Amino acid sequence: MSRRNKRPLPKRSSRDRRDGPKGSRPFRTSQGERGQAQRASGKPSGFADHAPRSPKPVLAEPAREEAAPTRVQTVVVTADENSMRVDRFLEARFPGLSFSHIQRIVRKGELRVNGKRADSKDRLEAGQSVRIPPLRLDAPRITAQLSEAAQKTLASLKELTLFEDADVLVLNKPAGLAVQGGSGTTRHIDQMLEVMRDAKGQKPRLVHRLDKDTAGCLLVAKTRFAATALTGSFRHRSARKTYWALVAGVPKPKQGRISTFLAREEGEEDTIMRIAAHGDEGANHAVTYYAVVETSAQKLAWVSLKPVTGRTHQLRAHMAHIGHAIVGDPKYFNKENWELPGGLQNRLHLLARRIMIPHPRGGVIDVTAPLPPHMLQSWNLLGLEADRFDPIENAPEE
């Protein structure tokens, strides 16, 4: 379900932008373009199913005696370290360096970038020369043997793994499992990742979020370096995400763009995102492209969704806004007198199907997730073909 290409993300030409959807105009690809999107297996890009790779826990190194201070050294910022903050750069280069020590040497002006004092939040550029004073590094920690419960958690993570290398982990998050803790939440992905701390004590970091009831691709950084790079990709909108959903009714037109402002609305028991006006307090602009892939008796539609922005509950609020709420959505399904077709489970039918993002060390991470059990059951009952070409693939990125 994953691949890593040694090629940059494709750039859109002026024609691509001209032919992309504006309002309700379609953005279908030609047969030739579909052929270019196929893999060696002959299946459309993003739909190959592979056995998940298993995460390999890093074993701890033996403990050392207290390390002697290092010597003064001058290092050059590499291309991989471009745009890293000074403190993150030091943490990555010297894992045993404490946060307080970093702040101290920076505050005293002992660390110099191209001969000048630097602040810990300054961002470095490739090719710059960094003078590093003598450092006293902490001895590496000894990782205790995993308990039986921790071993089970690690095995669970292995089963969820879609892609893994030294820097990045992509998990197939099940529907119903929270990404982070909250009121009454005792088991969540962030807590499970504790069992993957490495010999330096670093735990994998969440790079983005999915709602508890949304299944699919969840990106995790295994190193500080990867976390910085991947977070930057999301910030600069270099990441491309595709979602699948089952919605009530059939959207018209079948392909289009949804652009609104969303604001958080606190209720007595729950919080939702409401459609807001420009200038409303807390309102943020949100843009989503959608395309109908297949329909079932005009009562249900399988839609592919491409969020340009990443607002909370964006896809759920947007589909409800255009009158086609996602099936099983407990917060936003607002169609009166609507009955769930027989055999379908009343659970959120939303999948983070695919993610494409530049790899921190070059190339592209391209991972897809299979339909979760309740959605696969619905697809089978409705006769929807899950291996169909996804018409949202070439939607604009803005």
Side-chain angles (χ1 to χ4, degrees):
M1 295 185 187
S2 63
R3 62 176 172 148
R4 168 127 175 241
N5 302 323
K6 289 297 182 180
R7 59 176 176 82
L9 283 171
K11 295 183 178 179
R12 293 183 292 112
S13 66
S14 59
R15 178 177 177 179
D16 293 331
R17 290 189 291 269
R18 186 172 63 252
D19 292 343
K22 186 173 184 180
S24 62
R25 287 186 293 175
F27 36 84
R28 298 188 183 277
T29 54
S30 68
Q31 189 65 33
E33 291 171 325
R34 296 183 189 185
Q36 293 175 0
Q38 292 181 349
R39 299 179 179 172
S41 65
K43 294 183 179 180
S45 175
F47 294 89
D49 291 330
H50 297 240
R53 302 184 185 181
S54 300
K56 298 178 181 179
V58 180
L59 299 179
E61 300 174 2
R64 298 180 308 191
E65 297 289 333
E66 184 177 347
T70 62
R71 297 181 179 181
V72 173
Q73 53 189 304
T74 300
V75 297
V76 177
V77 179
T78 67
D80 284 345
E81 295 164 332
N82 185 59
S83 195
M84 284 184 74
R85 285 176 26 161
V86 168
D87 52 0
R88 301 287 186 262
F89 170 82
L90 291 172
E91 288 176 343
R93 286 270 186 152
F94 306 97
L97 193 60
S98 68
F99 176 77
S100 60
H101 197 164
I102 292 174
Q103 298 301 312
R104 184 166 61 253
I105 63 175
V106 170
R107 185 176 64 252
K108 290 183 176 180
E110 297 175 353
L111 182 136
R112 301 272 175 159
V113 178
N114 285 354
K116 298 179 180 178
R117 294 180 64 136
D119 186 83
S120 60
K121 296 181 180 179
D122 289 347
R123 295 194 177 272
L124 298 170
E125 297 178 6
Q128 286 184 324
S129 176
V130 182
R131 176 195 178 277
I132 300 171
L135 304 173
R136 184 174 295 278
L137 306 179
D138 296 335
R141 303 179 183 182
I142 297 177
T143 303
Q145 185 175 0
L146 293 178
S147 65
E148 184 177 349
Q151 290 176 8
K152 289 182 179 179
T153 298
L154 186 60
S156 296
L157 289 171
K158 288 181 180 180
E159 293 177 358
L160 300 178
T161 299
L162 298 172
F163 171 86
E164 185 184 23
D165 63 14
D167 294 292
V168 181
L169 175 67
V170 183
L171 298 174
N172 180 21
K173 189 192 84 65
L177 178 61
V179 172
Q180 287 183 300
S183 178
T185 302
T186 56
R187 182 174 173 81
H188 50 86
I189 294 291
D190 195 38
Q191 172 254 335
M192 294 173 68
L193 291 173
E194 287 286 345
V195 302
M196 291 187 66
R197 286 189 181 274
D198 61 17
K200 302 164 187 173
Q202 296 186 52
K203 186 185 84 172
R205 297 164 172 77
L206 297 167
V207 178
H208 73 127
R209 310 289 185 270
L210 293 177
D211 295 339
K212 178 179 179 180
D213 294 322
T214 301
C217 296
L218 180 70
L219 191 65
V220 178
K222 294 174 65 178
T223 62
R224 290 189 180 97
F225 166 70
T228 300
L230 296 172
T231 301
S233 293
F234 278 103
R235 185 170 58 249
H236 299 302
R237 296 184 183 173
S238 301
R240 299 180 180 183
K241 295 177 289 183
T242 303
Y243 290 74
W244 284 0
L246 188 67
V247 303
V250 180
K252 294 180 181 180
K254 288 191 174 182
Q255 296 177 331
R257 178 178 184 268
I258 306 170
S259 175
T260 72
F261 284 83
L262 295 175
R264 187 181 300 273
E265 185 173 280
E266 302 287 348
E268 292 183 4
E269 298 181 355
D270 211 346
T271 300
I272 65 169
M273 301 301 291
R274 63 175 176 83
I275 304 300
H278 179 49
D280 284 359
E281 183 178 358
N284 291 302
H285 190 216
V287 176
T288 301
Y289 285 95
Y290 73 87
V292 175
V293 183
E294 200 169 351
T295 63
S296 177
Q298 298 301 305
K299 185 171 183 178
L300 295 165
W302 161 17
V303 296
S304 186
L305 303 165
K306 196 169 190 178
V308 176
T309 51
R311 311 304 179 196
T312 301
H313 297 176
Q314 175 178 318
L315 303 180
R316 299 164 64 180
H318 269 175
M319 294 313 294
H321 172 63
I322 65 171
H324 299 283
I326 298 174
V327 171
D329 192 334
K331 289 178 180 284
Y332 299 92
F333 198 95
N334 52 11
K335 300 184 75 68
E336 295 183 4
N337 302 319
W338 193 87
E339 294 184 4
L340 190 71
L344 272 64
Q345 297 183 45
N346 190 23
R347 302 181 64 187
L348 182 67
H349 282 58
L350 180 61
L351 168 70
R353 171 63 177 177
R354 182 181 183 185
I355 187 165
M356 292 178 64
I357 192 169
H359 192 282
R361 300 190 187 278
V364 175
I365 301 167
D366 185 355
V367 185
T368 61
L371 288 167
H374 71 284
M375 289 181 67
L376 180 59
Q377 179 186 42
S378 298
W379 259 238
N380 290 336
L381 287 169
L382 298 171
L384 303 177
E385 300 177 15
D387 59 351
R388 289 194 60 178
F389 177 76
D390 195 331
I392 205 77
E393 290 290 328
N394 288 355
E397 302 299 324
E398 55 189 18

